Coordinates of all heavy atoms in Angstrom, one line a residue:
M192 N 15.0 -37.1 34.0 CA 13.7 -36.5 33.6 C 14.0 -35.4 32.6 O 15.0 -34.6 32.7 CB 13.1 -35.8 34.8 CG 11.9 -36.6 35.3 SD 10.9 -35.6 36.5 CE 11.8 -35.8 38.0
N193 N 13.2 -35.3 31.6 CA 13.4 -34.3 30.6 C 12.7 -33.0 31.1 O 12.0 -32.9 32.1 CB 12.9 -34.7 29.2 CG 11.4 -34.9 29.2 OD1 10.6 -34.5 30.0 ND2 10.9 -35.7 28.2
R194 N 12.8 -32.0 30.3 CA 12.4 -30.6 30.7 C 10.9 -30.6 30.8 O 10.4 -29.9 31.8 CB 12.8 -29.6 29.6 CG 12.5 -28.2 29.9 CD 13.1 -27.3 28.8 NE 12.6 -26.0 28.9 CZ 11.6 -25.5 28.2 NH1 11.1 -26.2 27.2 NH2 11.2 -24.2 28.4
H195 N 10.1 -31.3 30.0 CA 8.7 -31.2 30.0 C 8.2 -31.9 31.3 O 7.2 -31.5 31.9 CB 8.1 -31.9 28.8 CG 8.4 -31.2 27.5 ND1 8.0 -29.9 27.2 CD2 9.2 -31.6 26.5 CE1 8.4 -29.5 26.1 NE2 9.2 -30.5 25.6
E196 N 8.8 -33.0 31.7 CA 8.4 -33.7 32.9 C 8.6 -32.9 34.1 O 7.8 -32.8 35.0 CB 9.1 -35.1 33.0 CG 8.6 -36.1 32.0 CD 9.4 -37.4 32.1 OE1 10.2 -37.5 33.1 OE2 9.1 -38.3 31.3
E197 N 9.7 -32.1 34.1 CA 10.0 -31.2 35.2 C 9.0 -30.1 35.4 O 8.5 -29.8 36.4 CB 11.4 -30.6 35.1 CG 12.5 -31.6 35.3 CD 13.9 -31.0 34.9 OE1 14.0 -29.8 34.7 OE2 14.9 -31.8 34.9
L198 N 8.6 -29.6 34.2 CA 7.6 -28.5 34.2 C 6.2 -29.1 34.7 O 5.6 -28.4 35.5 CB 7.4 -27.9 32.8 CG 8.6 -27.0 32.3 CD1 8.4 -26.7 30.9 CD2 8.7 -25.8 33.2
L199 N 5.9 -30.2 34.2 CA 4.6 -30.8 34.7 C 4.6 -31.1 36.2 O 3.6 -30.9 36.9 CB 4.3 -32.1 33.9 CG 3.9 -31.9 32.4 CD1 3.7 -33.2 31.7 CD2 2.5 -31.1 32.4
N200 N 5.7 -31.7 36.7 CA 5.8 -31.9 38.1 C 5.7 -30.7 38.9 O 5.1 -30.6 40.0 CB 7.1 -32.7 38.4 CG 7.1 -34.1 37.9 OD1 6.0 -34.7 37.8 ND2 8.2 -34.7 37.7
R201 N 6.4 -29.6 38.4 CA 6.3 -28.3 39.1 C 4.9 -27.8 39.1 O 4.4 -27.3 40.2 CB 7.3 -27.3 38.5 CG 7.5 -26.1 39.4 CD 8.6 -25.2 38.8 NE 8.0 -24.5 37.7 CZ 8.7 -23.9 36.7 NH1 10.0 -24.0 36.8 NH2 8.1 -23.3 35.7
L202 N 4.2 -27.9 38.0 CA 2.9 -27.4 37.9 C 1.9 -28.2 38.8 O 1.1 -27.7 39.5 CB 2.3 -27.5 36.5 CG 2.8 -26.4 35.5 CD1 2.4 -26.7 34.1 CD2 2.3 -25.0 36.0
A203 N 2.1 -29.5 38.9 CA 1.3 -30.4 39.8 C 1.6 -30.0 41.2 O 0.6 -30.0 42.0 CB 1.6 -31.8 39.5
G204 N 2.8 -29.8 41.6 CA 3.1 -29.4 43.0 C 2.5 -28.1 43.3 O 2.0 -27.9 44.4
D205 N 2.6 -27.1 42.4 CA 2.0 -25.8 42.7 C 0.5 -25.9 42.8 O -0.2 -25.3 43.7 CB 2.3 -24.8 41.5 CG 3.8 -24.4 41.5 OD1 4.4 -24.6 42.5 OD2 4.2 -23.9 40.5
A206 N -0.1 -26.8 42.0 CA -1.6 -27.0 42.1 C -2.0 -27.6 43.4 O -3.0 -27.3 44.0 CB -2.1 -27.9 40.9
R207 N -1.1 -28.5 44.0 CA -1.4 -29.1 45.3 C -1.3 -28.1 46.4 O -2.1 -28.2 47.4 CB -0.5 -30.3 45.5 CG -0.9 -31.6 44.8 CD -0.1 -32.7 45.2 NE 0.4 -33.4 44.0 CZ 1.6 -33.5 43.5 NH1 2.6 -32.9 44.1 NH2 1.8 -34.1 42.4
R208 N -0.4 -27.2 46.3 CA -0.2 -26.2 47.4 C -1.2 -25.1 47.3 O -1.5 -24.5 48.4 CB 1.2 -25.6 47.2 CG 2.3 -26.6 47.7 CD 3.6 -25.8 47.8 NE 4.1 -25.4 46.5 CZ 4.8 -26.1 45.7 NH1 5.1 -27.3 46.0 NH2 5.2 -25.6 44.5
E209 N -1.8 -24.8 46.2 CA -2.7 -23.7 46.1 C -4.0 -24.1 46.7 O -4.5 -25.2 46.7 CB -3.0 -23.4 44.6 CG -1.8 -22.7 43.9 CD -1.6 -21.3 44.4 OE1 -2.5 -20.6 44.7 OE2 -0.4 -20.9 44.5
V210 N -4.7 -23.1 47.3 CA -6.0 -23.2 47.9 C -7.0 -22.9 46.9 O -6.9 -21.9 46.1 CB -6.1 -22.3 49.2 CG1 -7.5 -22.4 49.8 CG2 -5.0 -22.6 50.2
A211 N -8.0 -23.7 46.9 CA -9.1 -23.5 45.9 C -9.7 -22.1 46.2 O -9.9 -21.7 47.3 CB -10.1 -24.6 46.0
P212 N -10.0 -21.3 45.2 CA -10.7 -20.0 45.4 C -12.0 -20.2 46.0 O -12.8 -21.1 45.7 CB -10.8 -19.4 44.0 CG -10.7 -20.6 43.1 CD -9.9 -21.6 43.8
G213 N -12.4 -19.3 46.9 CA -13.7 -19.4 47.6 C -14.7 -18.8 46.6 O -14.5 -18.3 45.6
G214 N -15.9 -19.0 47.0 CA -17.0 -18.4 46.2 C -17.8 -19.6 45.5 O -17.5 -20.7 45.7
T215 N -18.7 -19.1 44.7 CA -19.5 -20.1 44.0 C -18.8 -20.5 42.7 O -18.0 -19.7 42.1 CB -20.9 -19.6 43.7 OG1 -20.7 -18.4 42.9 CG2 -21.6 -19.2 45.0
N216 N -19.2 -21.6 42.1 CA -18.7 -22.0 40.9 C -19.7 -21.8 39.8 O -19.9 -22.6 38.9 CB -18.3 -23.5 40.9 CG -17.0 -23.7 41.7 OD1 -16.2 -22.8 41.8 ND2 -16.9 -24.9 42.4
E217 N -20.4 -20.7 39.8 CA -21.4 -20.4 38.8 C -20.8 -20.0 37.5 O -19.8 -19.3 37.5 CB -22.4 -19.3 39.3 CG -23.2 -19.7 40.5 CD -24.2 -18.6 40.9 OE1 -24.3 -17.6 40.1 OE2 -24.7 -18.6 42.0
I218 N -21.5 -20.3 36.5 CA -21.1 -19.9 35.1 C -21.6 -18.4 35.0 O -22.7 -18.1 35.3 CB -21.7 -20.8 34.1 CG1 -21.2 -22.2 34.2 CG2 -21.5 -20.2 32.7 CD1 -21.8 -23.2 33.2
P219 N -20.7 -17.5 34.5 CA -21.2 -16.2 34.3 C -22.4 -16.1 33.4 O -22.5 -16.9 32.5 CB -19.9 -15.5 33.7 CG -18.8 -16.3 34.1 CD -19.3 -17.7 34.2
H220 N -23.2 -15.1 33.6 CA -24.4 -14.9 32.8 C -24.0 -14.7 31.3 O -23.2 -13.9 31.0 CB -25.2 -13.7 33.3 CG -26.4 -13.5 32.5 ND1 -27.5 -14.3 32.5 CD2 -26.8 -12.5 31.6 CE1 -28.4 -13.9 31.7 NE2 -28.0 -12.8 31.1
G221 N -24.6 -15.5 30.4 CA -24.4 -15.4 29.0 C -23.2 -16.2 28.4 O -22.9 -16.1 27.2
L222 N -22.4 -16.8 29.3 CA -21.2 -17.5 28.8 C -21.6 -18.7 27.9 O -21.0 -18.8 26.9 CB -20.4 -18.0 30.0 CG -19.2 -18.8 29.6 CD1 -18.2 -17.9 28.9 CD2 -18.5 -19.5 30.8
A223 N -22.6 -19.4 28.3 CA -23.0 -20.6 27.5 C -23.4 -20.1 26.1 O -23.1 -20.7 25.1 CB -24.1 -21.4 28.1
T224 N -24.1 -19.0 26.0 CA -24.6 -18.5 24.7 C -23.4 -18.0 23.9 O -23.4 -18.3 22.7 CB -25.6 -17.3 25.0 OG1 -26.6 -17.8 25.8 CG2 -26.2 -16.9 23.6
R225 N -22.5 -17.4 24.5 CA -21.3 -16.9 23.8 C -20.5 -18.0 23.3 O -20.0 -18.0 22.1 CB -20.5 -15.9 24.6 CG -21.1 -14.6 24.9 CD -20.2 -13.6 25.5 NE -19.5 -14.1 26.7 CZ -19.8 -13.9 28.0 NH1 -20.9 -13.1 28.2 NH2 -19.1 -14.4 28.9
V226 N -20.3 -19.0 24.1 CA -19.5 -20.2 23.7 C -20.1 -20.9 22.5 O -19.5 -21.3 21.6 CB -19.3 -21.2 24.9 CG1 -18.7 -22.5 24.4 CG2 -18.4 -20.5 25.9
L227 N -21.5 -21.2 22.6 CA -22.2 -21.9 21.6 C -22.1 -21.0 20.3 O -22.0 -21.6 19.2 CB -23.6 -22.2 22.0 CG -23.7 -23.3 23.0 CD1 -25.2 -23.4 23.4 CD2 -23.2 -24.6 22.5
A228 N -22.3 -19.7 20.4 CA -22.2 -18.9 19.2 C -20.8 -19.0 18.5 O -20.7 -19.0 17.3 CB -22.5 -17.5 19.5
Q229 N -19.8 -19.0 19.3 CA -18.4 -19.1 18.8 C -18.2 -20.4 18.1 O -17.6 -20.5 17.0 CB -17.4 -18.8 19.9 CG -16.0 -18.8 19.4 CD -15.7 -17.7 18.4 OE1 -16.2 -16.6 18.6 NE2 -15.0 -18.0 17.4
V230 N -18.7 -21.5 18.8 CA -18.5 -22.8 18.2 C -19.3 -22.9 16.9 O -18.8 -23.5 15.9 CB -19.0 -23.9 19.2 CG1 -19.2 -25.3 18.5 CG2 -18.1 -24.0 20.4
Q231 N -20.5 -22.4 16.8 CA -21.3 -22.4 15.6 C -20.6 -21.6 14.5 O -20.5 -22.0 13.3 CB -22.7 -21.9 15.8 CG -23.6 -22.0 14.6 CD -25.0 -21.5 14.9 OE1 -25.2 -20.9 16.0 NE2 -25.9 -21.8 14.0
A232 N -20.1 -20.5 14.8 CA -19.4 -19.6 13.8 C -18.1 -20.4 13.3 O -17.8 -20.3 12.1 CB -19.0 -18.3 14.4
D233 N -17.4 -21.0 14.2 CA -16.2 -21.8 13.7 C -16.6 -22.9 12.9 O -16.0 -23.2 11.9 CB -15.4 -22.3 15.0 CG -14.7 -21.2 15.7 OD1 -14.6 -20.1 15.1 OD2 -14.3 -21.4 16.8
A234 N -17.7 -23.6 13.2 CA -18.2 -24.8 12.4 C -18.6 -24.3 11.0 O -18.3 -25.0 10.0 CB -19.3 -25.5 13.1
E235 N -19.3 -23.2 10.9 CA -19.7 -22.7 9.6 C -18.5 -22.3 8.8 O -18.5 -22.5 7.6 CB -20.7 -21.5 9.8 CG -22.1 -21.9 10.3 CD -22.9 -20.7 10.7 OE1 -22.5 -19.6 10.5 OE2 -24.1 -20.9 11.1
R236 N -17.6 -21.7 9.4 CA -16.4 -21.2 8.6 C -15.6 -22.5 8.1 O -15.1 -22.5 7.0 CB -15.5 -20.4 9.5 CG -14.3 -19.8 8.7 CD -13.5 -18.9 9.6 NE -12.9 -19.6 10.7 CZ -12.9 -19.2 11.9 NH1 -13.5 -18.1 12.3 NH2 -12.4 -20.0 12.9
D237 N -15.5 -23.5 9.0 CA -14.8 -24.7 8.6 C -15.5 -25.5 7.5 O -14.9 -26.2 6.7 CB -14.5 -25.6 9.8 CG -13.5 -25.0 10.8 OD1 -12.8 -24.1 10.4 OD2 -13.4 -25.4 11.9
E238 N -16.8 -25.5 7.6 CA -17.6 -26.2 6.6 C -17.4 -25.7 5.2 O -17.6 -26.4 4.2 CB -19.1 -26.2 7.0 CG -19.4 -27.2 8.1 CD -20.9 -27.2 8.4 OE1 -21.6 -26.6 7.6 OE2 -21.2 -27.8 9.5
A239 N -17.1 -24.4 5.0 CA -17.1 -23.8 3.7 C -16.0 -24.5 2.8 O -16.3 -24.6 1.6 CB -16.8 -22.3 3.8
W240 N -14.9 -24.9 3.4 CA -13.9 -25.5 2.6 C -13.4 -26.8 3.0 O -12.3 -27.2 2.8 CB -12.6 -24.5 2.6 CG -12.9 -23.3 1.9 CD1 -13.2 -22.1 2.5 CD2 -13.0 -23.0 0.5 NE1 -13.5 -21.1 1.5 CE2 -13.3 -21.7 0.3 CE3 -12.9 -23.8 -0.6 CZ2 -13.5 -21.1 -0.9 CZ3 -13.0 -23.2 -1.9 CH2 -13.3 -21.9 -2.0
S241 N -14.3 -27.6 3.7 CA -13.9 -28.9 4.2 C -13.6 -29.8 3.1 O -14.3 -29.8 2.0 CB -15.0 -29.4 5.1 OG -16.1 -29.8 4.4
W242 N -12.7 -30.7 3.3 CA -12.2 -31.7 2.3 C -13.3 -32.7 2.0 O -13.5 -33.2 0.9 CB -11.0 -32.4 2.7 CG -9.8 -31.5 2.6 CD1 -9.1 -30.9 3.6 CD2 -9.1 -31.2 1.4 NE1 -8.1 -30.2 3.1 CE2 -8.0 -30.3 1.8 CE3 -9.3 -31.4 0.1 CZ2 -7.2 -29.8 0.9 CZ3 -8.4 -30.9 -0.8 CH2 -7.4 -30.1 -0.5
E243 N -14.2 -33.0 3.0 CA -15.2 -33.9 2.8 C -16.2 -33.4 1.8 O -16.6 -34.2 0.9 CB -15.9 -34.2 4.2 CG -15.1 -34.9 5.2 CD -14.2 -34.0 6.0 OE1 -14.4 -32.8 5.9 OE2 -13.4 -34.4 6.7
K244 N -16.6 -32.2 1.9 CA -17.6 -31.7 1.0 C -17.0 -31.5 -0.4 O -17.6 -31.7 -1.4 CB -18.1 -30.3 1.4 CG -19.1 -30.4 2.6 CD -19.8 -29.2 2.8 CE -20.9 -29.4 3.9 NZ -21.7 -28.2 4.0
L245 N -15.7 -31.1 -0.5 CA -15.0 -31.0 -1.8 C -15.0 -32.4 -2.4 O -15.2 -32.5 -3.7 CB -13.6 -30.4 -1.6 CG -12.8 -30.2 -2.8 CD1 -13.5 -29.1 -3.7 CD2 -11.4 -29.7 -2.5
T246 N -14.7 -33.4 -1.7 CA -14.6 -34.8 -2.3 C -16.0 -35.2 -2.7 O -16.1 -35.8 -3.8 CB -14.1 -35.7 -1.2 OG1 -12.8 -35.3 -0.7 CG2 -13.9 -37.1 -1.8
I247 N -17.0 -35.0 -2.0 CA -18.3 -35.4 -2.4 C -18.8 -34.6 -3.6 O -19.4 -35.2 -4.5 CB -19.3 -35.1 -1.2 CG1 -19.0 -36.1 -0.1 CG2 -20.8 -35.3 -1.7 CD1 -19.8 -35.9 1.2
R248 N -18.4 -33.4 -3.7 CA -18.7 -32.6 -4.9 C -17.9 -33.0 -6.1 O -18.3 -32.8 -7.3 CB -18.5 -31.1 -4.7 CG -19.5 -30.5 -3.7 CD -19.2 -29.1 -3.4 NE -20.2 -28.6 -2.4 CZ -20.0 -27.5 -1.6 NH1 -18.9 -26.8 -1.8 NH2 -20.9 -27.2 -0.8
A249 N -16.7 -33.6 -5.9 CA -15.9 -34.0 -7.0 C -16.3 -35.3 -7.6 O -16.0 -35.6 -8.8 CB -14.4 -34.0 -6.6
V250 N -17.0 -36.1 -6.9 CA -17.4 -37.4 -7.4 C -18.3 -37.4 -8.7 O -18.0 -38.0 -9.7 CB -18.0 -38.3 -6.3 CG1 -18.7 -39.5 -6.9 CG2 -17.0 -38.6 -5.2
P251 N -19.3 -36.5 -8.7 CA -20.1 -36.5 -9.9 C -19.3 -35.9 -11.1 O -19.5 -36.3 -12.3 CB -21.3 -35.5 -9.6 CG -21.3 -35.5 -8.1 CD -19.9 -35.8 -7.6
V252 N -18.4 -35.0 -10.8 CA -17.6 -34.4 -11.9 C -16.7 -35.5 -12.5 O -16.5 -35.6 -13.7 CB -16.8 -33.2 -11.4 CG1 -15.8 -32.7 -12.4 CG2 -17.7 -32.1 -10.9
A253 N -16.1 -36.3 -11.6 CA -15.2 -37.3 -12.1 C -16.0 -38.4 -12.9 O -15.5 -38.9 -13.9 CB -14.5 -38.0 -10.9
A254 N -17.2 -38.7 -12.4 CA -18.0 -39.7 -13.1 C -18.4 -39.1 -14.5 O -18.3 -39.9 -15.5 CB -19.3 -40.0 -12.3
A255 N -18.7 -37.9 -14.6 CA -19.1 -37.3 -15.9 C -17.9 -37.3 -16.9 O -18.0 -37.6 -18.0 CB -19.6 -35.8 -15.7
L256 N -16.7 -37.0 -16.3 CA -15.5 -37.0 -17.2 C -15.2 -38.4 -17.6 O -14.7 -38.6 -18.8 CB -14.3 -36.4 -16.4 CG -14.3 -34.9 -16.2 CD1 -13.1 -34.5 -15.3 CD2 -14.1 -34.2 -17.6
L257 N -15.4 -39.4 -16.8 CA -15.2 -40.8 -17.2 C -16.1 -41.2 -18.3 O -15.7 -41.9 -19.2 CB -15.4 -41.7 -15.9 CG -15.2 -43.2 -16.2 CD1 -13.7 -43.5 -16.5 CD2 -15.7 -44.0 -14.9
V258 N -17.4 -40.8 -18.2 CA -18.3 -41.2 -19.3 C -17.9 -40.5 -20.6 O -18.0 -41.1 -21.6 CB -19.8 -40.8 -18.8 CG1 -20.7 -40.8 -20.0 CG2 -20.2 -41.6 -17.7
I259 N -17.6 -39.2 -20.5 CA -17.1 -38.5 -21.7 C -15.9 -39.1 -22.4 O -15.9 -39.3 -23.6 CB -16.9 -37.0 -21.4 CG1 -18.2 -36.3 -21.1 CG2 -16.2 -36.3 -22.5 CD1 -18.1 -34.9 -20.5
C260 N -14.9 -39.5 -21.6 CA -13.7 -40.1 -22.1 C -14.1 -41.5 -22.7 O -13.5 -41.8 -23.8 CB -12.7 -40.3 -21.0 SG -11.9 -38.7 -20.5
A261 N -14.9 -42.2 -22.1 CA -15.3 -43.5 -22.6 C -16.0 -43.4 -24.0 O -15.8 -44.1 -24.9 CB -16.2 -44.3 -21.6
L262 N -16.9 -42.4 -24.1 CA -17.6 -42.2 -25.3 C -16.6 -41.7 -26.4 O -16.8 -42.1 -27.6 CB -18.7 -41.1 -25.1 CG -19.9 -41.6 -24.3 CD1 -20.9 -40.4 -24.1 CD2 -20.6 -42.8 -25.0
V263 N -15.7 -40.9 -26.1 CA -14.7 -40.4 -27.1 C -13.9 -41.6 -27.6 O -13.6 -41.7 -28.8 CB -13.9 -39.3 -26.5 CG1 -12.7 -39.0 -27.4 CG2 -14.7 -38.0 -26.3
V264 N -13.4 -42.4 -26.7 CA -12.6 -43.5 -27.0 C -13.3 -44.5 -27.9 O -12.8 -45.1 -28.9 CB -12.0 -44.2 -25.8 CG1 -11.4 -45.5 -26.1 CG2 -11.0 -43.3 -25.1
L265 N -14.6 -44.8 -27.6 CA -15.4 -45.7 -28.4 C -15.6 -45.2 -29.8 O -15.7 -46.0 -30.7 CB -16.7 -46.0 -27.7 CG -16.6 -46.8 -26.4 CD1 -18.0 -46.9 -25.8 CD2 -16.1 -48.2 -26.7
H266 N -15.8 -43.9 -30.0 CA -16.1 -43.4 -31.3 C -14.9 -42.9 -32.0 O -15.0 -42.4 -33.2 CB -17.1 -42.2 -31.2 CG -18.4 -42.7 -30.7 ND1 -19.3 -43.5 -31.4 CD2 -19.1 -42.4 -29.5 CE1 -20.4 -43.7 -30.7 NE2 -20.3 -43.1 -29.6
A267 N -13.7 -43.0 -31.5 CA -12.5 -42.6 -32.2 C -12.1 -43.6 -33.2 O -12.2 -44.8 -33.0 CB -11.4 -42.4 -31.1
H268 N -11.6 -43.1 -34.3 CA -11.2 -44.0 -35.4 C -9.7 -44.0 -35.4 O -9.0 -43.0 -35.3 CB -11.7 -43.5 -36.8 CG -13.1 -43.5 -36.9 ND1 -13.9 -44.6 -36.9 CD2 -14.0 -42.4 -36.9 CE1 -15.2 -44.3 -37.0 NE2 -15.3 -42.9 -37.0
P269 N -9.1 -45.2 -35.4 CA -7.6 -45.3 -35.4 C -7.0 -44.7 -36.6 O -7.6 -44.8 -37.7 CB -7.3 -46.8 -35.3 CG -8.5 -47.4 -35.8 CD -9.7 -46.5 -35.5
V270 N -5.9 -44.0 -36.5 CA -5.2 -43.3 -37.6 C -4.4 -44.4 -38.3 O -3.7 -45.2 -37.7 CB -4.3 -42.2 -37.1 CG1 -3.5 -41.6 -38.2 CG2 -5.1 -41.2 -36.3
A271 N -4.6 -44.5 -39.6 CA -3.9 -45.5 -40.4 C -2.4 -45.2 -40.4 O -2.0 -44.1 -40.7 CB -4.4 -45.5 -41.8
T272 N -1.6 -46.1 -39.9 CA -0.2 -45.9 -39.9 C 0.5 -46.6 -41.1 O 0.0 -47.6 -41.6 CB 0.4 -46.5 -38.6 OG1 0.1 -47.9 -38.6 CG2 -0.1 -45.8 -37.4
K273 N 1.5 -46.0 -41.5 CA 2.2 -46.6 -42.7 C 3.2 -47.6 -42.3 O 3.8 -47.6 -41.2 CB 2.9 -45.5 -43.4 CG 2.0 -44.4 -44.0 CD 2.8 -43.4 -44.8 CE 1.8 -42.4 -45.5 NZ 2.5 -41.4 -46.3
S274 N 3.4 -48.5 -43.2 CA 4.4 -49.6 -42.9 C 5.8 -49.0 -43.0 O 6.0 -47.9 -43.6 CB 4.3 -50.8 -43.8 OG 4.6 -50.3 -45.1
P275 N 6.8 -49.6 -42.4 CA 8.2 -49.1 -42.6 C 8.6 -48.9 -44.0 O 9.3 -48.0 -44.4 CB 9.0 -50.1 -41.8 CG 8.1 -50.8 -40.9 CD 6.8 -50.7 -41.5
G276 N 8.2 -49.8 -44.9 CA 8.6 -49.7 -46.3 C 8.0 -48.5 -46.9 O 8.6 -47.8 -47.7
Q277 N 6.7 -48.2 -46.6 CA 6.1 -47.0 -47.2 C 6.7 -45.7 -46.6 O 6.9 -44.8 -47.4 CB 4.6 -47.0 -46.8 CG 3.8 -48.1 -47.5 CD 2.4 -48.2 -47.0 OE1 2.1 -47.8 -45.9 NE2 1.5 -48.7 -47.9
L278 N 7.1 -45.7 -45.4 CA 7.8 -44.5 -44.8 C 9.1 -44.3 -45.5 O 9.5 -43.2 -45.8 CB 7.9 -44.7 -43.3 CG 6.7 -44.6 -42.4 CD1 7.0 -44.9 -41.0 CD2 6.1 -43.2 -42.5
A279 N 9.9 -45.4 -45.7 CA 11.1 -45.3 -46.4 C 10.9 -44.7 -47.8 O 11.7 -43.9 -48.3 CB 11.9 -46.6 -46.4
D280 N 9.9 -45.2 -48.5 CA 9.6 -44.8 -49.9 C 9.3 -43.3 -49.9 O 9.7 -42.5 -50.8 CB 8.5 -45.6 -50.5 CG 8.9 -47.0 -50.9 OD1 10.1 -47.2 -51.0 OD2 8.0 -47.8 -51.0
D281 N 8.5 -42.8 -48.9 CA 8.1 -41.4 -48.8 C 9.4 -40.5 -48.6 O 9.5 -39.5 -49.2 CB 7.1 -41.2 -47.7 CG 5.8 -41.8 -48.1 OD1 5.5 -42.0 -49.2 OD2 4.9 -41.9 -47.1
I282 N 10.3 -41.0 -47.7 CA 11.5 -40.2 -47.5 C 12.3 -40.1 -48.7 O 12.8 -39.0 -49.0 CB 12.3 -40.9 -46.3 CG1 11.5 -40.7 -45.0 CG2 13.7 -40.2 -46.2 CD1 12.1 -41.5 -43.8
F283 N 12.5 -41.2 -49.4 CA 13.3 -41.2 -50.7 C 12.7 -40.3 -51.7 O 13.4 -39.5 -52.4 CB 13.6 -42.6 -51.2 CG 14.6 -43.3 -50.4 CD1 14.3 -44.6 -49.9 CD2 15.8 -42.8 -50.2 CE1 15.2 -45.3 -49.2 CE2 16.8 -43.5 -49.5 CZ 16.5 -44.8 -49.0
T284 N 11.4 -40.4 -51.9 CA 10.7 -39.6 -53.0 C 10.8 -38.1 -52.6 O 11.0 -37.2 -53.5 CB 9.3 -40.0 -53.2 OG1 8.6 -39.9 -51.9 CG2 9.2 -41.3 -53.8
E285 N 10.7 -37.7 -51.3 CA 10.8 -36.3 -51.0 C 12.3 -35.8 -51.1 O 12.5 -34.7 -51.5 CB 10.4 -36.1 -49.5 CG 8.9 -36.1 -49.4 CD 8.4 -35.9 -47.9 OE1 9.2 -35.3 -47.2 OE2 7.3 -36.3 -47.6
A286 N 13.3 -36.7 -50.8 CA 14.6 -36.3 -50.9 C 15.1 -36.2 -52.3 O 16.0 -35.4 -52.7 CB 15.5 -37.3 -50.1
L287 N 14.5 -37.0 -53.2 CA 14.9 -37.0 -54.6 C 14.2 -35.9 -55.5 O 14.7 -35.6 -56.6 CB 14.7 -38.4 -55.3 CG 15.5 -39.5 -54.7 CD1 15.1 -40.8 -55.3 CD2 17.0 -39.2 -54.9
N288 N 13.1 -35.4 -55.0 CA 12.5 -34.3 -55.8 C 13.3 -33.1 -55.8 O 13.8 -32.6 -54.8 CB 11.1 -34.0 -55.2 CG 10.1 -35.1 -55.4 OD1 10.2 -35.8 -56.4 ND2 9.1 -35.2 -54.6
P289 N 13.4 -32.4 -57.0 CA 14.3 -31.2 -57.1 C 13.6 -30.0 -56.5 O 12.6 -29.8 -56.2 CB 14.5 -31.0 -58.6 CG 13.6 -32.0 -59.3 CD 13.0 -32.9 -58.3

């Protein structure tokens, strides 16, 4: 047995030997309200930066960028490139000029 199993077995044995506390099992006054308030506060804090909301907000931005890029690419004019012979002529003329 590993260490965790030994601890669990010891806790289970202690739980079997213990006598249940007497009295009523009533929930203390206001506990449910405090628990619900804490859960709601945690949920509001987690919602502020949740990945789901960030992803949903990013979809329209990505779509707008895609449209802009597509429009730019469609209206772009290709730059005229020189042939290798023209490039060699330009290099020689620049090198030969005094």
